[in-house]
Every structure is written in structure tokens, then in C-alpha cells.
Amino acid sequence: GSAVTTVYGATAGSYTATLTATSGGIIRQDSATVTVLNRTEYLEAQCTVCHADNNPQVVADYDASPHKTRSVSCQDCHTANTPHEYQASCIDCHSTGNSWGLPWPPPGKSFHNAYNSTNQCVQCHGLHSTAFLPGGLPYPHFTNSTTAAQYVNPNITCDNCHTSAVDSSFNVYSANLQWARSGKANPSAPAYMAYQFKSMGTAAPATPANSTADDCVRCHTSTGYVNYVNSDFTDIAPFGTATSSREMVACSACHTPTPFDASFSRRSIGIEANQFNPGVKFVVAWYGYSSLATKKFIRPKSYENPSGANMNDSDICIVCHTGKAAGDIIKLSSNCTTAPSIVCRVGDTGVFWQNVDFIDPHNMNTANIMLPDGLRAGYEYRTGVSSTTYHTNIGLTVTQGPCVGCHMSSPKKHSYAAISTASNGVIAGITTSLCMSCHGSLAMTIDASILNTKKEGYNAALAVVISQLAAKGIYYNAAVPPYFFNTATQAQQTLANRTVNWDTNAPNFKGADMMGAAFNLRLLAPGSGWVHNSVYSKRVIYDTIDYLDDHTQNNSVLTAIQNANVDQAIKDAASSYLGTRP
């Protein structure tokens, strides 16, 4: 017969095996070299005969995993009856009191104790690599804590985004993926990376209602947001340390509780309106300014639906989408005692306007554009600009309200996209279904080119404003705060060369009006004023161009557009979009 000389054992190596036979006083010996293989390598070799060619990544993942270094073979998890039949469960080894000496639960991951079957484990862990998929859980879940934002930190754990309280199951929800691909989850965006926002607040008893200090913490972090809305908009205290990880806005900001209940409940946000309107809640925002010349003043605004109905879930959005400043904070008020403004305190031209930093509306101002009553969003050159509101009635018949009703009624609702766009920004169509409630079937069949034409005309009109400001020595750079500079050379657009003298074109073009024009540009340029309240936005742009043309509201806009230093295609698009003032 034949001898087996290749075996596996606990101690690999080459050994000499000697056979001694004794019979009738006769002794015979024979020796053979026996190769003893490492048990894990020997068993793996039986699998890699095929898998090294057919599925090399499985082999590579296994070779690099702790399984191999701990001598866990392929066959330890695959039954001997049929090699491709999986038999072991992760918790056979990864559980409390395991015989392998594995720490359990993993440090900082106590939620693992709730999971008890393989099909849950493999949602994040590969069967062969045992690492988080794919190949580890890198940035942006975890990253360098001092140089980038990350999804997971002391206040946002895996449970807050992935766990159902109903059955303690761990899930990668479709909403997780949609959110991760939205702008809200971009960990490198200025909204998370410009500053360590969680330290930018004011300790109690300061609130937005009595302070004009930084209160960024309330909108740029989940913890700050929750503290703010749970305190009826009073808590803007910082938290954590400046050296710890930057916190993002995640599921726990909008949803409570997390882990999720069966209905993925949302936060109930708002202050009770009054005794005559029981059950109606509203969001309150404050807009203020403070300087040695003007002294400090703060003006409140309540965000209530014109119909008197609740905004419901949309209040969650409105809290942060009110902007940081409003045009009415700058311009002359009809009653400077009850509604103070900068012009009320220092006039619209003169020393103050010759050395003052730009007042930035701060992008996220959609709610004030949609509801420009009381305290107006834009710097208005004419009266009656804000008489029209649009899209505030969306979603009021359900618990959504206008923001959620429009931006979360598409199939991928946590992408917050009401329209679909190509990579170059060209609109392909409407994705939200709620448009049909007012616009009928036309909303779903409308030619995307109509939307693109409107958007392009809107942007072209803003390009004219940029050109007009440049002609007066005020140069706009959307990528560099504080955005307005006294030089057209981008390399020199630094803090030292920022625009602080808004009165250089006086006496005809007054400092307040010039900053107002820049304010309107920043108010409308980063967003979608062309759709949220298109009539109001168009009036503000029209009047701004009209003013920058000859400091007079005389409807000279179409002539001003043709005189602007922009391409003819931009002039044509702007003229077509604005037309006659609406």
C-alpha cells in the first residue's frame, strides 16, 4: 500500500518518523520524513484549490483576517458534510464568556449584546474578513478626530441610526444610505468643518433672545439642536471639548427615540401659539445686531402658517432654515421704537457705513423667504414686496407641513431632493409627488426644460447683480467668506481686503442700500428662491438691479441688464426671466 506522509497538527514542521519492527529477535527499522502542516493552512489549502482562481478576494480577506491568526479554519465555519454549507454562527465564538478569550462586547460597543444571530452580524461584518464592510469602517464613520467630522462620536452611536427598539435588530436602512448621499451628510462640508461648531455657543442663561453671540451649536450639531428645541429655543450652550471629534447632524436630531420605535417617531417641536389657538405650535427665531454705534437690538419672528395650521414635522426643518439675518435688520423701519434697525440707529449713509463688516443672511433662510411677513427676508427697495407667499400650504392636510411635504415625498425621501438632477446640475424632472395636490397631473409631466429655463434665468439675473456690484468696486466671491472684497484679484481676496466701506459711491448710492444689494445677493444666490417663493425672490432681484442701475426704482431693469458686463446669453436669460416686474 501507500503511506500518508503529509499531515497537519498543532505544531507545524518536518519530522522524522521511525518504524521499528521486532520479530523472533530480529529488529528492522525504517525512517521517513513527515511534513506536518499548520492545521489552518492545510485546511485552507483544500478550499483555495478552487477559490484562489474563482474568488481570490475571499482568500485574500481570510488571509488578512484575525480568523487565520487565531487558527480558525474554513472548515470551522463550513460543515464537513457539504463544503459550501455554512453552519457556524458568529455568536458561537463572539459572545459573553467565549473560550477564545475574545473581548465581549467589543470596547465601546455595548449594543452588540442585543444581537444574537449571524444574519444580523453580517449586515456590517464580512464572513471572511470579519471587518466592517467594506474592508473596515473608515471615514466618515470614524476619522481623525481633530481634522474632520465623523458620523460616530460620543453623542451619536450606532444605535442612534441603525437599531430598531422593536426587536433590537441592527439594520442598514435605505434612509441611512439616502442621508449619507445627501448634502446633510457631507463630513467635509463647511457646515461641519469650517469651525468646531459644538464649542460655538453661549452658556446659560444666554439665549438667542437676549444675546447676539455665536450660537452655531444649535444647528451644526445634533446635540446642540436637541438641547435647543427641547428648551423652547433657549439653550445655546456649547458642549464637549475643542479637541474631540466634530459632531454632525444625524438621525437623532429629527427622530426620537433612537433606537427607533415602530413608527420612526419624529420630534414634536414648537411653542404653543396662544390661548386662542390651542394646539397650534410655532417656531420662533431672533434676528439681531450689536455694535458700539447702534447698540444691541434683537427682533423676534414667529414662524406660523398663514392659515393658522401647524407646520407639524416641518417645524423640525424651520428651526435652522430661518437664516441668521433679515433685510429688515438693516433697512429703515416704519417704527424705530418697536422695530429697531441699523438705519434707525445710524442712518443710511455716513461714518458707520464707511467701516462696517458685511451682515450675512447665512444661506439657510428658506423659511423666511417663504414667509416674508412681519420681519422681511430681503432688503426691500419698494413697499409691498412681501405680500405674496407660496408653497406654505403644502402638506398641511397631513402631519408633514411644507418642508417635509415637498422634500420627503419622493421615493428616496431622505435624500431631500424634490427634483432629480444630472451631475452637471441640469434638472431631469420632479421627484416629489405632492406637487400634484395643487398642480395636478401637469406637475408630473412638466418638461424638465421649463424648470431648467427658470433656474438658469434666476441664476443669470443674480449674475447681473454680481456684475453691477463689481462695477461699483464690490467684488463677490461665493467661496471665500466674508464674500465681498475691494479687489477683483482672487488671490488677494483675503480678510484684509474685505469690503468694509459701503459708502464709496455716495451720495447717490448710499451705504445701507449698497450693503442691502450685497445682502440680497447672498440671500438668494446659494439657494432655490426661484421655486420656494419665486414671486418674492423675483421682486427682490428686480428691485436690486433697478437700484444698482441708477439708484432709482424706475423699472430700468431690462436696460440695466443689457449694460451689464456679462455674456449676451446671460443677458438674454436674465431678461426673459425677469421681464416685467411681477
Side-chain angles (χ1 to χ4, degrees), residues 425-448:
V426 174
I427 299 171
I430 298 174
T431 59
T432 178
S433 60
L434 215 58
C435 298
M436 297 180 68
S437 62
C438 292
H439 297 282
S441 59
L442 174 65
M444 295 296 104
T445 59
I446 189 170
D447 189 339

Side-chain angles (χ1 to χ4, degrees), residues 379-386 461 465 468 509 513 516-517 520 524 535-557 560 578 580-582:
Y379 185 94
E380 299 175 7
Y381 295 94
R382 307 191 195 197
T383 59
V385 177
S386 59
V465 175
Q468 288 180 303
F509 293 91
D513 290 334
N520 288 340
L524 299 173
V535 172
Y536 179 76
S537 299
K538 186 178 291 189
R539 286 175 179 171
V540 169
I541 297 173
Y542 188 100
D543 293 347
T544 301
I545 294 175
D546 204 4
Y547 172 79
L548 290 174
D549 177 40
D550 55 9
H551 62 82
T552 305
Q553 294 296 301
N554 56 4
N555 300 322
S556 61
V557 170
L578 291 174
T580 302
R581 186 179 185 274

Side-chain angles (χ1 to χ4, degrees), residues 445-457:
T445 59
I446 189 170
D447 189 339
S449 64
I450 296 176
L451 299 178
N452 280 301
T453 299
K454 190 172 184 178
K455 177 183 176 182
E456 290 168 1

Side-chain angles (χ1 to χ4, degrees), residues 128-146:
H128 299 95
S129 68
T130 71
F132 282 96
L133 293 174
L137 196 65
Y139 174 83
H141 278 85
F142 295 100
T143 187
N144 184 313
S145 63
T146 60

Side-chain angles (χ1 to χ4, degrees), residues 471-559:
K472 292 176 173 55
I474 301 173
Y475 301 93
Y476 178 61
N477 187 336
V480 181
Y483 311 110
F484 296 95
F485 304 90
N486 56 28
T487 174
T489 305
Q490 289 191 359
Q492 297 176 11
Q493 291 177 342
T494 62
L495 196 62
N497 290 323
R498 70 192 185 281
T499 297
V500 293
N501 187 349
W502 302 90
D503 230 17
T504 55
N505 294 277
N508 290 329
F509 293 91
K510 299 178 180 181
D513 290 334
M514 291 302 296
M515 184 185 282
F519 184 95
N520 288 340
L521 175 61
R522 277 288 297 163
L523 176 76
L524 299 173
S528 300
W530 60 275
V531 64
H532 285 115
N533 190 342
S534 59
V535 172
Y536 179 76
S537 299
K538 186 178 291 189
R539 286 175 179 171
V540 169
I541 297 173
Y542 188 100
D543 293 347
T544 301
I545 294 175
D546 204 4
Y547 172 79
L548 290 174
D549 177 40
D550 55 9
H551 62 82
T552 305
Q553 294 296 301
N554 56 4
N555 300 322
S556 61
V557 170
L558 295 183
T559 300

Side-chain angles (χ1 to χ4, degrees), residues 183-460:
K184 295 185 181 300
N186 181 357
S188 62
Y192 297 122
M193 289 303 300
Y195 303 98
Q196 177 60 287
F197 288 107
K198 65 185 178 184
S199 64
M200 300 182 71
T202 307
T207 72
N210 60 27
S211 173
T212 56
D214 289 335
D215 56 0
C216 312
V217 64
R218 65 189 174 100
C219 288
H220 288 267
T221 69
S222 291
T223 300
Y225 177 86
V226 172
N227 291 341
Y228 183 57
V229 299
N230 282 351
S231 63
D232 283 344
F233 316 123
T234 63
D235 184 349
I236 57 171
F239 66 93
T241 62
T243 57
S244 59
S245 62
R246 283 173 167 82
E247 186 176 296
M248 301 180 66
V249 175
C251 306
S252 54
C254 302
H255 292 272
T256 184
T258 53
F260 302 112
D261 61 18
S263 59
F264 298 93
S265 298
R266 280 82 60 202
R267 294 189 182 278
S268 177
I269 290 174
I271 301 174
E272 289 286 342
N274 52 59
Q275 59 180 326
F276 305 107
N277 218 357
V280 175
K281 289 186 173 184
F282 63 89
V283 170
V284 62
W286 291 271
Y287 303 85
Y289 187 76
S290 179
S291 73
L292 184 63
T294 64
K295 309 308 180 191
K296 182 170 73 173
F297 62 89
I298 296 174
R299 293 171 58 182
K301 176 171 179 175
S302 298
Y303 283 88
E304 304 174 64
N305 193 275
S307 69
N310 277 317
M311 292 289 201
N312 296 308
D313 286 343
S314 290
D315 279 338
I316 297 172
C317 315
I318 291 171
V319 168
C320 290
H321 288 265
T322 57
K324 290 278 287 180
D328 273 5
I329 291 298
I330 303 173
K331 68 188 296 290
L332 182 64
S333 168
S334 59
N335 189 326
C336 288
T337 301
T338 59
S341 70
I342 295 175
V343 173
C344 281
R345 301 287 173 88
V346 297
D348 56 7
T349 188
V351 175
F352 175 84
W353 296 104
Q354 293 165 12
N355 187 25
V356 59
D357 283 317
F358 174 63
I359 299 168
D360 187 17
H362 199 64
N363 294 5
M364 297 298 178
N365 40 54
T366 306
N368 206 7
I369 291 174
M370 290 180 65
L371 295 165
D373 57 326
L375 199 147
R376 295 168 172 81
Y379 185 94
E380 299 175 7
Y381 295 94
R382 307 191 195 197
T383 59
V385 177
S386 59
S387 59
T388 304
T389 61
Y390 283 99
H391 291 147
T392 55
N393 60 327
I394 294 174
L396 293 184
T397 57
V398 289
T399 60
Q400 297 176 326
C403 310
V404 173
C406 182
H407 287 272
M408 298 188 72
S409 62
S410 64
K412 296 181 179 180
K413 61 183 181 180
H414 281 87
S415 67
Y416 312 108
I419 55 176
S420 60
T421 58
S423 58
N424 61 357
V426 174
I427 299 171
I430 298 174
T431 59
T432 178
S433 60
L434 215 58
C435 298
M436 297 180 68
S437 62
C438 292
H439 297 282
S441 59
L442 174 65
M444 295 296 104
T445 59
I446 189 170
D447 189 339
S449 64
I450 296 176
L451 299 178
N452 280 301
T453 299
K454 190 172 184 178
K455 177 183 176 182
E456 290 168 1
Y458 174 87
N459 289 330

Side-chain angles (χ1 to χ4, degrees), residues 48-137:
T48 56
V49 169
C50 292
H51 286 287
D53 294 325
N54 297 335
N55 198 346
Q57 189 59 49
V58 171
V59 177
D61 286 345
Y62 169 76
D63 285 344
S65 75
H67 278 157
K68 186 167 184 176
T69 60
R70 289 181 177 270
S71 299
V72 178
S73 71
C74 307
Q75 286 81 351
D76 286 326
C77 291
H78 294 270
T79 180
N81 297 326
T82 304
H84 297 94
E85 181 181 344
Y86 185 73
Q87 66 172 9
S89 171
C90 301
I91 63 166
D92 289 349
C93 299
H94 296 273
S95 59
T96 303
N98 65 80
S99 60
W100 295 87
L102 299 170
W104 193 259
K109 304 293 186 295
S110 60
F111 65 88
H112 280 74
N113 279 328
Y115 311 134
N116 53 16
S117 66
T118 298
N119 67 333
Q120 291 171 341
C121 303
V122 299
Q123 291 184 64
C124 283
H125 297 276
L127 291 174
H128 299 95
S129 68
T130 71
F132 282 96
L133 293 174
L137 196 65

